[in-house]
């Protein structure tokens, strides 16, 4: 599977070989890499560059490094966590503002919801209506339930993205919503009317989705009040 590493840029070559084996399927999720001493022999390198390469692959989310007697490097299912974390860091360092993130969400979600209106199945609509029932309960509990309402609101938006049937949209919007969610959780709502209006908007969107009214869904989604807090 692997070959002797080149003597120039050893670290990059190790990363490229192991990453390539994962991405082309020679190493599958759950597979354990050979012990470090065996990898050192295979690559004909030293432990230093190998350990650095494994750390980089762990940061990329391709490997999980387990400690102890049964430890080692195990191949992970690729996920969105590293990308979402990078976006979160940019937001926390004010490289990306909440307003920018919300503007992006507004533009993209309108298009995604319009696609979902054409593709949503009866099962998708049932799930959305079930989530609306949960949201209604939290609205009835008042502003103290704002965080729980936001969590359901998030699930509704992601369910709509999933109904569009495009995993790229779903991936990107999940990343955006997870980071917006942090702001809502950190800033308690003081006005229940905003909460009620948000809930009614969601009801209107689901109704339009069920009727397959793509234009109406796009307009409703783009008209949502995305920010109730100042940065």
């Amino acid at each position: 599977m692997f070959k002797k590493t080149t003597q120039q840029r050893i670290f990059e070559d190790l990363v490229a070989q192991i990453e390539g084996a994962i991405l082309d399927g020679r190493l599958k999720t759950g597979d354990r890499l050979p012990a470090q001493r065996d990898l050192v022999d295979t690559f004909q390198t030293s432990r230093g560059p190998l350990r650095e390469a494994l750390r980089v692959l762990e940061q990329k989310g391709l490997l999980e490094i387990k400690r102890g007697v049964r430890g080692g490097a195990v191949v992970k299912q690729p996920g969105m966590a590293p990308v979402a974390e990078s976006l979160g860091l940019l937001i926390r360092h004010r490289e990306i503002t909440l307003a920018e993130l919300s503007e992006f969400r507004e533009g993209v979600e309108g298009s995604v919801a319009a696609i979902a209106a054409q593709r949503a199945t009866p099962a998708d609509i049932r799930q959305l209506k079930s989530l609306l029932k949960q949201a209604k309960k939290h609205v009835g509990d008042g502003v103290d339930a704002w965080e729980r309402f936001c969590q359901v609101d998030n699930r509704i938006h992601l369910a709509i993205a999933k109904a569009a049937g495009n995993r790229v949209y779903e991936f990107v919007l999940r990343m955006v919503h997870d980071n917006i969610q942090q702001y809502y959780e950190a800033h308690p709502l003081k006005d229940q009317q905003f909460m009620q209006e948000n809930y009614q908007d969601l009801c209107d969107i689901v109704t339009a989705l069920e009727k397959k009214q793509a234009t109406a869904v796009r307009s409703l989604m783009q008209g949502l009040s995305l920010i109730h807090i100042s940065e």
Side-chain angles (χ1 to χ4, degrees):
M1 184 182 301
F2 301 126
K3 61 183 179 181
K4 175 183 176 181
T5 184
T6 60
Q7 292 305 304
Q8 293 183 335
R9 307 185 70 177
I10 295 175
F11 153 71
E12 290 91 343
D13 184 58
L14 292 171
V15 171
Q17 285 201 53
I18 299 173
E19 182 175 325
I22 294 171
L23 297 180
D24 68 17
R26 285 175 289 155
L27 285 172
K28 305 183 185 304
T29 301
D31 284 351
R32 188 181 301 273
L33 266 63
Q36 287 192 19
R37 62 179 177 276
D38 295 327
L39 288 172
V40 165
D41 290 340
T42 299
F43 289 122
Q44 295 186 31
T45 186
S46 61
R47 286 181 180 268
L50 176 62
R51 286 173 177 167
E52 184 62 26
L54 294 177
R55 279 196 291 269
V56 169
L57 291 164
E58 183 179 31
Q59 290 170 355
K60 287 186 174 187
L62 295 175
L63 292 179
E64 178 183 2
I65 308 299
K66 297 184 177 181
R67 313 298 176 189
V69 177
R70 296 185 178 180
V74 179
V75 178
K76 288 180 61 178
Q77 174 72 35
M80 59 172 285
V83 181
E85 184 176 348
S86 296
L87 179 61
L89 288 172
L90 288 173
I91 294 169
R92 288 194 290 276
H93 284 281
R94 302 293 179 174
E95 297 294 330
I96 295 177
T97 67
L98 177 59
E100 289 173 322
L101 197 62
S102 295
E103 183 179 59
F104 175 84
R105 169 189 159 182
E106 178 182 2
V108 173
E109 274 200 303
S111 298
V112 174
I115 295 172
Q118 299 170 356
R119 298 178 179 175
T121 66
D124 292 327
I125 299 301
R126 287 195 297 271
Q127 181 186 12
L128 287 166
K129 287 183 176 180
S130 176
L131 290 169
L132 281 177
K133 289 181 180 180
Q134 297 178 39
K136 182 177 182 179
K137 178 181 181 301
H138 296 320
V139 171
D141 292 337
V143 294
D144 289 341
W146 170 242
E147 184 175 333
R148 296 191 296 277
F149 175 82
C150 285
Q151 290 171 353
V152 176
D153 175 274
N154 190 39
R155 291 171 61 191
I156 290 172
H157 283 276
L158 295 179
I160 292 172
K162 185 175 182 180
N166 185 313
R167 286 175 292 178
V168 176
Y169 286 140
E170 186 180 356
F171 176 93
V172 172
L173 288 175
R174 182 179 297 277
M175 178 177 60
V176 170
H177 273 277
D178 285 350
N179 281 286
I180 288 180
Q181 187 78 12
Q182 297 175 21
Y183 276 89
Y184 288 144
E185 291 173 355
H187 296 77
L189 184 71
K190 298 178 181 179
D191 181 5
Q192 189 173 4
Q193 182 178 353
F194 180 92
M195 194 174 179
Q196 178 63 48
E197 291 173 354
N198 197 313
Y199 167 71
Q200 186 58 53
D201 288 340
L202 293 174
C203 290
D204 293 342
I205 288 169
V206 173
T207 297
L209 278 168
E210 186 174 20
K211 294 180 179 179
K212 297 190 177 299
Q213 298 173 336
T215 301
V217 170
R218 183 194 300 271
S219 179
L220 287 165
M221 187 68 78
Q222 291 178 335
L224 285 176
S225 299
L226 297 177
I227 306 175
H228 78 283
I229 57 176
S230 60
E231 297 189 83

